[in-house]
Amino acid sequence: MTDGSIGDAGATGDADPTGIGLRDDLPIEQWYEAPARPKPIRDRWTKLARLRELGFEPYAYGWDSSHDLTAAREAWPGEGEGPTVRVAGRIESLRDMGKSAFLHLGDRNGRLQAYFKRQQLSERDAQLLDLLDLGDWIGVEGPLFETRTGEVTVRADRLTLLSKSLRPLPYGKVEVDETGERIVHSGFADTESRYRQRYADLAVNPEVREIFLVRARVIASLRRRLDESGFIEVETPILQPLYGGAFARPFTTHHNTLDRQLYLRIADELYLKRLIVGSLDRVYEIGKNFRNEGIDRTHNPEFTMLELYQAMADYETMMDLAESLVSETAKEIVGGNRIEWDGHTVDLSPPWERVTFFEAIERHAGFDARAADMTDLAERLQRAGRDDADSMNRTRLLDAVFSEWVEPELVDPTIIYDYPIEMSPLAKPKRGDPELAERFEVIVAGTELVNAFSELNDPLDQWKRFAEQARARAGGDAEAQGLDRDYVRALEYGLPPTGGLGLGIDRLVMLLTGKTTIREVILYPILREEEI
RNA sequence: GCGCCGCUAGCUCAACUGGUAGAGCAACUGACUCUUAAUCAGUAGGUUCGGGGUUCGAGUCCCUGGCGGCGCACCA
């Protein structure tokens, strides 16, 4: 397979050089009526032909709605016949009873029933009604009323086909019980198909649409809050000659004209701090990072981060900012700070508990990791079943200890601060304790949500830390950072005291939507190639 | 990367120890003027993920490949 794109499904150009453009060796028209197609597809193809015969345009050019479906339902005055509305939507259910028919239209966040009385329709509209299928987009015009069973409904006096659906959507049957709760029977549930055909997932599962509406509102809310606080939004390179700002392996690519190797960024950090040097004293960027690492419930190779930098601030300012950004956003988007997540109740209201890195280990693992030597750390990890411990340096050992005993215990957001300095090559040493860095992470529900520090602004110190990284890299640590000479040059001009913060947008959305898999909050999560 | 589980009709799922592959929804034909998981009668729908093997006989057992899920590792 040279091209796995879904749009080219079934092309057989490789097998038959004269067959370019054929679909499974057939001209496209014959493909739809071939016996190999499921009957619903063949039937829809026949209906499409019939519609054309009758002079209907199956793919319209536009439509003017007077209301979306939710607004239309709300426009019903409460009794009697309401105003005439023009609405559009996709047919989600269809109940034809001969002389009359009911169907439900759906749009991005609403649903409205339409009632058709054949006697009252023009002959053409009645013909059209007979050729409709689930999944078709239609427009409807008529007055609102309430059915005997109490559902606000539009009585369709006029009907317009907007787009004919040739492929049956995997609709389940929707039952609405006495409490108004939607119960979906059967439906579209196969995880793999849902991700591969996200369009069908979104079309059929309103709760999936809701996740992405929430995601959009979360991002808009963060952006508005930062804009109002005097931050300016910027864009920095994704294609970078040197990657840095985090510990991760990059994706590598190549620019032809420049004939030069480039990397997809693993973090925005170094470019953003250069802007603070340039006197843009509050900047942020919301964008994709790319890390060439494993894939699991909390990691997708491309993911979205908010990074912000504020001059004249330190990590304590960032702690306050992290608290307010997360809790205010939660209040605004989901209406509160108590969230049910993976069987826990997570309380996002500030202030969050603040514990130092070594205190946290003391508390949850029961020993003083700062005093412990490497052998001691490795032995403890080995006893806990980590057989790779003897190959780790001290940084990795401490990190392993932290993720083994501390992280899983933290449910409510917890600020873990004062990390060992060797784990934090871009952070300032802690005042009065240079073995530690002024850095914190926010751990919520067992995973890292925020990473922040007082930014290292001493160019000499930065050079030495880079050099240390370079040594670690030479010693085989594939994730150690490269030496970025231009960044040091920038620091030499003078980086004011600066606080910086990174917040994982995907994980925040997971938290606010109750999802335990990052794939559920990314529209197109990465998957292996599909054979179509 | 390793381990476990899964892949059957367009969708959701059945098929005991190997013995003719089924149901509901969707579809089609017909009936029905306020239905709503509409109902009723009938019809059609399958390369059981691909390849190989064992067997008189494989959805089922074995080998191999693909894809997915979960866990572990990795990802500070």
Side-chain angles (χ1 to χ4, degrees):
Chain A
M1 276 295 114
T2 53
D3 185 347
S5 74
I6 287 171
D8 289 344
T12 53
D14 289 344
D16 174 9
T18 66
I20 295 170
L22 295 183
R23 189 171 184 177
D24 300 334
D25 296 322
L26 294 171
I28 184 73
E29 292 81 4
Q30 288 172 29
W31 187 87
Y32 284 105
E33 55 201 21
R37 276 340 110 229
K39 186 142 182 301
I41 289 186
R42 299 199 310 267
D43 290 338
R44 283 159 188 247
W45 175 251
T46 306
K47 288 181 192 176
L48 180 71
R50 179 73 184 137
L51 285 164
R52 289 223 151 97
E53 245 172 66
L54 293 171
F56 290 103
E57 170 54 62
Y59 301 104
Y61 287 82
W63 170 263
D64 289 315
S65 288
S66 65
H67 300 72
D68 72 19
L69 297 178
T70 306
R73 204 172 52 236
E74 284 163 1
W76 184 65
E79 55 176 356
E81 189 165 292
T84 291
V85 295
R86 273 173 68 84
V87 293
R90 173 181 256 143
I91 301 174
E92 292 185 347
S93 70
L94 181 54
R95 295 173 293 284
D96 191 340
M97 307 170 56
K99 294 205 170 71
S100 67
F102 289 87
L103 57 77
H104 273 102
L105 290 179
D107 62 14
R108 84 173 181 198
N109 55 14
R111 195 173 159 87
L112 180 68
Q113 182 170 251
Y115 168 61
F116 294 83
K117 199 169 180 179
R118 275 201 165 71
Q119 235 175 13
Q120 280 186 354
L121 291 177
S122 71
E123 196 184 327
R124 269 183 81 69
D125 284 2
Q127 280 176 329
L128 179 51
L129 183 59
D130 286 331
L131 293 167
L132 293 181
D133 285 299
L134 258 47
D136 290 351
W137 291 91
I138 60 170
V140 141
E141 188 174 353
L144 295 166
F145 73 107
E146 191 179 57
T147 61
R148 232 175 256 164
T149 46
E151 179 163 355
V152 177
T153 299
V154 54
R155 193 191 72 222
D157 295 336
R158 288 168 50 177
L159 170 64
T160 307
L161 179 60
L162 300 176
S163 184
K164 183 66 192 166
S165 165
L166 284 179
R167 185 180 284 273
L169 280 165
Y171 282 115
K173 285 242 166 181
V174 178
E175 176 186 13
V176 181
D177 70 11
E178 321 78 56
T179 66
E181 197 73 10
R182 274 170 52 96
I183 302 167
V184 180
H185 301 266
S186 301
F188 188 45
D190 180 68
T191 318
E192 180 181 355
S193 309
R194 285 183 45 237
Y195 298 154
R196 289 199 193 280
Q197 299 193 56
R198 189 64 101 171
Y199 35 85
D201 187 27
L202 290 162
V204 146
N205 293 321
E207 67 280 8
V208 175
R209 289 199 293 273
E210 180 60 22
I211 291 168
F212 294 100
L213 295 174
V214 165
R215 183 178 173 118
R217 292 202 296 270
V218 165
I219 292 170
S221 167
L222 290 169
R223 190 169 262 142
R224 184 177 50 71
R225 219 170 293 285
L226 291 169
D227 291 342
E228 283 170 359
S229 313
F231 284 86
I232 61 169
E233 181 170 12
V234 297
E235 292 174 276
T236 62
I238 289 173
L239 293 174
Q240 303 182 348
L242 267 181
Y243 58 94
F247 294 124
R249 280 173 294 173
F251 288 91
T252 307
T253 187
H254 180 263
H255 188 276
N256 289 343
T257 306
L258 262 30
D259 189 20
R260 174 197 199 186
Q261 175 165 287
L262 293 170
Y263 303 97
L264 302 193
R265 73 174 169 210
I266 59 171
D268 308 351
E269 170 142 2
L270 299 177
Y271 281 95
L272 289 174
K273 282 192 284 192
R274 283 171 167 98
L275 300 179
I276 306 282
V277 169
S279 295
L280 294 177
D281 60 349
R282 291 186 181 199
V283 294
Y284 75 95
E285 179 164 11
I286 295 174
K288 286 270 180 82
N289 288 344
F290 306 84
R291 297 189 184 174
N292 208 338
E293 312 272 2
I295 300 166
D296 64 21
R297 282 210 338 251
T298 55
H299 298 267
N300 195 61
E302 54 180 303
F303 62 101
T304 305
M305 278 268 280
L306 162 66
E307 281 196 36
L308 64 87
Y309 294 86
Q310 176 177 345
M312 311 307 159
D314 66 3
Y315 75 149
E316 289 193 31
T317 316
M318 293 298 106
M319 291 181 195
D320 299 340
L321 183 58
E323 283 177 346
S324 74
L325 277 178
V326 170
S327 69
E328 293 298 313
T329 300
K331 252 186 261 172
E332 184 179 326
I333 308 302
V334 300
N337 270 331
R338 292 177 72 82
I339 283 160
E340 293 305 318
W341 197 86
D342 197 19
H344 304 287
T345 302
V346 179
D347 185 358
L348 300 176
S349 18
W352 298 339
E353 194 178 356
R354 301 183 182 191
V355 192
T356 70
F357 181 82
F358 286 111
E359 273 169 23
I361 292 175
E362 177 93 57
R363 189 183 299 180
H364 291 101
F367 71 99
D368 181 357
R370 199 170 178 182
D373 60 17
M374 283 181 60
T375 325
D376 183 13
L377 294 172
E379 275 172 13
R380 287 173 188 275
L381 282 164
Q382 270 153 357
R383 262 176 291 167
R386 294 282 297 256
D387 41 15
D388 52 344
D390 48 355
S391 65
M392 294 181 181
N393 57 30
R394 186 173 168 83
T395 303
R396 301 244 169 230
L397 285 168
L398 287 171
D399 189 54
V401 165
F402 187 80
S403 34
E404 180 75 29
W405 282 287
V406 183
E407 266 190 5
E409 300 302 316
L410 304 177
V411 176
D412 287 341
T414 307
I415 292 174
I416 303 291
Y417 66 100
D418 290 353
Y419 278 67
I421 196 147
E422 64 270 22
M423 296 170 77
S424 318
L426 299 164
K428 275 178 93 68
K430 182 177 171 62
R431 284 158 265 198
D433 193 348
E435 288 182 4
L436 301 177
E438 292 199 357
R439 168 184 175 198
F440 72 91
E441 287 191 1
V442 178
I443 311 290
V444 190
T447 55
E448 173 192 341
L449 181 67
V450 169
N451 183 21
F453 26 93
S454 301
E455 302 297 335
L456 179 56
N457 57 349
D458 173 347
L460 273 73
D461 193 359
Q462 185 65 75
W463 180 274
K464 288 177 186 163
R465 306 270 202 101
F466 275 148
E468 239 168 73
Q469 289 293 309
R471 276 192 289 276
R473 200 189 177 84
D477 187 344
E479 281 158 6
Q481 304 192 25
L483 202 164
D484 190 334
R485 291 165 181 271
D486 175 71
Y487 180 68
V488 175
R489 178 167 66 179
L491 292 187
E492 286 164 352
Y493 285 114
L495 174 68
T498 297
L501 179 158
L503 187 160
I505 298 289
D506 311 279
R507 291 185 184 172
L508 179 58
V509 175
M510 284 168 69
L511 201 57
L512 296 183
T513 54
K515 295 297 163 193
T516 54
T517 304
I518 200 169
R519 296 185 199 97
E520 289 291 339
V521 304
I522 291 177
L523 281 166
Y524 300 105
I526 196 156
L527 296 172
R528 285 176 210 276
E529 185 172 15
E530 171 187 30
E531 269 192 54
I532 303 177

